[in-house]
Amino acid sequence: MEVIPAIDLRGGNCVRLYQGDYAQETVYSDDPLETALRWVDMGATRLHIVDLDGARDGKPANLKAVERIASAVDVPLHLGGGIRDMDTARAAIDAGVSRIMLGTAAVEDSDLIGVMLGEFGAESVIVSVDAKDGRVALRGWTEGSSALATDLVADMAALGVVRFLYTDISRDGTLTEPNFEGVRALVSQGDIRLIAAGGIATVAHLTRLAEIGAEAGIVGRAIYTGDIDLREAIETIDGMERGC
């Protein structure tokens, strides 16, 4: 399992929200590039970037910061937040992103997901399943929907999506624990690759996610507060998978 640090961008800053609430924001750095370099120096093999402005407003607002990061690090990047049309998706790929993440578009425009799979390939498209009480939230988690997380995964898998990001919104930024049962339910749905996020606060949480079958775990607030040492977490999971 891969341990992936999160870099959430808002107004050019590196921030974390509590349960996705834009009114409960903590700014951890005004230099996202410095943050990215720090995580890579500690062993990160991939970075998970979310444009929070884009997620809420429907159009990425921090692509220049993403370009700076992409040109300075030698690890692949995920990018989500406001990617809801082909031009925006192409701009993200051109900025140096290896995988684009789509949430709202997956619920509202499944045909678009099919087009993206055709143009970029399944390895470059992640469907983000951001759920609260089992139902998917939209537009940077500011709107609810009637779509069930399990149904969305099934529908997108049938379309050809192979990789999903699952975030339990009620756990995100809380430093409590992940929704292990929610992760298990999605992993068991078939031949998919699942990235888990929300509530990861200890290395033990990461090892349990690995045991459940998650492909990766996104660590956010816990590495900014020091509850998780990123280098230690990566080494622990690597050792676990080598049988050390």
Side-chain angles (χ1 to χ4, degrees):
M1 188 182 82
E2 197 170 17
V3 180
I4 307 175
I7 299 175
D8 289 358
L9 303 176
R10 187 179 183 209
N13 295 322
C14 182
V15 309
R16 296 298 297 169
L17 305 182
Y18 182 83
Q19 296 182 331
D21 185 349
Y22 284 75
Q24 298 189 67
E25 173 191 90
T26 303
V27 177
Y28 284 101
S29 173
D30 62 0
D31 188 349
L33 175 57
E34 184 277 332
T35 301
L37 292 170
R38 172 156 46 103
W39 299 145
V40 172
D41 185 60
M42 294 181 73
T45 55
R46 192 180 305 272
L47 298 175
H48 175 88
I49 303 175
V50 177
D51 186 330
L52 293 172
D53 298 302
R56 183 181 59 183
D57 300 333
K59 183 178 180 180
N62 294 279
L63 271 182
K64 287 187 177 179
V66 175
E67 282 185 295
R68 289 181 65 219
I69 293 171
S71 65
V73 302
D74 57 358
V75 302
L77 310 180
H78 294 175
L79 177 65
I83 302 175
R84 298 172 195 167
D85 57 57
M86 288 302 297
D87 287 343
T88 304
R90 292 187 186 107
I93 297 294
D94 290 345
V97 172
S98 64
R99 290 175 180 165
I100 53 175
M101 300 182 292
L102 303 104
T104 299
V107 175
E108 296 185 341
D109 191 354
S110 61
D111 289 343
L112 176 63
I113 305 301
V115 173
M116 289 185 177
L117 290 170
E119 177 159 338
F120 305 121
E123 279 297 315
S124 295
V125 177
I126 298 172
V127 165
S128 184
V129 182
D130 308 311
K132 188 172 184 180
D133 298 326
R135 297 192 181 274
V136 179
L138 310 176
R139 293 179 179 80
W141 307 354
T142 61
E143 294 182 17
S145 80
S146 61
L148 292 172
T150 49
D151 290 347
L152 178 61
V153 169
D155 291 346
M156 290 293 106
L159 196 62
V161 175
V162 299
R163 182 171 284 105
F164 297 85
L165 167 68
Y166 168 65
T167 304
D168 185 314
I169 295 170
S170 65
R171 311 291 180 101
D172 195 67
T174 64
L175 296 178
T176 51
E177 68 173 21
N179 182 344
F180 294 112
E181 291 310 309
V183 172
R184 192 187 307 278
L186 295 182
V187 167
S188 68
Q189 280 194 227
D191 187 20
I192 65 168
R193 301 163 200 168
L194 191 74
I195 303 167
I200 299 173
T202 68
V203 174
H205 290 161
L206 290 165
T207 60
R208 186 171 174 189
L209 288 170
E211 291 166 351
I212 289 172
E215 180 188 58
I218 303 296
V219 285
R221 184 178 293 271
I223 56 172
Y224 290 91
T225 60
D227 287 82
I228 290 179
D229 179 281
L230 181 62
R231 191 186 306 277
E232 176 192 351
I234 292 170
E235 290 175 353
T236 299
I237 296 301
D238 286 349
M240 173 186 172
E241 297 188 339
R242 291 195 307 268
C244 299

